[in-house]
Amino acid sequence: MIRAGVQLAAVTLLLRGVDSVPWTAVLFIILMLATASLTTARRAASLPLGARSAVIGTTSGAVLSITIILGTGLVSLGPTSVIAVAGIVIGGCMTVSTLSLRHYLANVRTRRDEVEGWLALGALPRTATDLPRLIAVREALIPNLDQTKSTGLVTLPGAFVGALFGGASALEAAQFQLVVLAGLALGGTVTALVATHVASGSVSLPADG
């Protein structure tokens, strides 16, 4: 909590500068994306090609989702709005990247005999690890799917509440939340698919944990 407080204080100061110099929002997004990529890379270090998989997966999902959201005009191009959406999407992709690669690592270890059997028969690494990869993707996306299905029934998501506190009407807040949920779903799906696809290309299997 102390660390979060310090980081939020720093972000508050930076956002004041962004409002004065809008183009610096791009630098802020690059910083967030770099931090998320490095975090996921560190967490996937025990997996062959893990760091590369985490960086490529996180970056691919986040950039694609943010580009579509901003390119279609679903969110205003004001620096504060852009940073808010980018931060939420990048954070979601970071989480999905970590979950998908950890599930993939656990699944390959659990099904090691099956994977080695496929490899012994001449299958390519991605073919041999197809089932562990698909299971990992599905498991990694469960939190996002649950959040989407329970929105308004079990929880009031942060983007919706934040928009209300920011002075938006309930309708505007709901519209913003739907954009965020769609961005998280798209970004998370791409991240999980790309990260596990890259990881499954390794010719060596992870060591038993």
Side-chain angles (χ1 to χ4, degrees), residues 24-82:
T24 57
V26 177
L27 299 180
F28 198 83
I29 293 173
I30 293 174
L31 174 62
M32 290 191 293
L33 188 56
T35 302
S37 297
L38 291 175
T39 299
T40 56
R42 186 173 63 252
R43 291 173 178 171
S46 59
L47 183 68
L49 298 181
R52 182 189 305 177
S53 305
V55 172
I56 295 176
T58 303
T59 303
S60 299
V63 170
L64 177 62
S65 182
I66 293 170
T67 300
I68 291 176
I69 290 174
L70 299 181
T72 54
L74 294 174
V75 173
S76 67
L77 296 181
T80 303
S81 298
V82 170

Side-chain angles (χ1 to χ4, degrees), residues 18-155:
V18 168
D19 286 333
S20 303
V21 189
W23 65 266
T24 57
V26 177
L27 299 180
F28 198 83
I29 293 173
I30 293 174
L31 174 62
M32 290 191 293
L33 188 56
T35 302
S37 297
L38 291 175
T39 299
T40 56
R42 186 173 63 252
R43 291 173 178 171
S46 59
L47 183 68
L49 298 181
R52 182 189 305 177
S53 305
V55 172
I56 295 176
T58 303
T59 303
S60 299
V63 170
L64 177 62
S65 182
I66 293 170
T67 300
I68 291 176
I69 290 174
L70 299 181
T72 54
L74 294 174
V75 173
S76 67
L77 296 181
T80 303
S81 298
V82 170
I83 290 175
V85 171
I88 294 172
V89 172
I90 292 172
C93 290
M94 179 181 69
T95 300
V96 170
S97 179
T98 297
L99 290 176
S100 62
L101 291 175
R102 284 187 173 180
H103 281 299
Y104 175 72
L105 175 61
N107 292 337
V108 170
R109 284 173 172 170
T110 300
R111 297 175 174 270
R112 191 179 191 89
D113 291 342
E114 176 184 327
V115 173
E116 289 179 342
W118 277 106
L119 293 174
L121 293 173
L124 296 175
R126 286 198 173 96
T127 302
T129 57
D130 185 58
L131 184 57
R133 186 170 72 251
L134 292 177
I135 294 174
V137 170
R138 184 174 66 241
E139 292 295 319
L141 294 177
I142 286 178
N144 276 351
L145 295 176
D146 284 347
Q147 180 185 13
T148 302
K149 289 189 294 185
S150 63
T151 295
L153 297 176
V154 179
T155 62

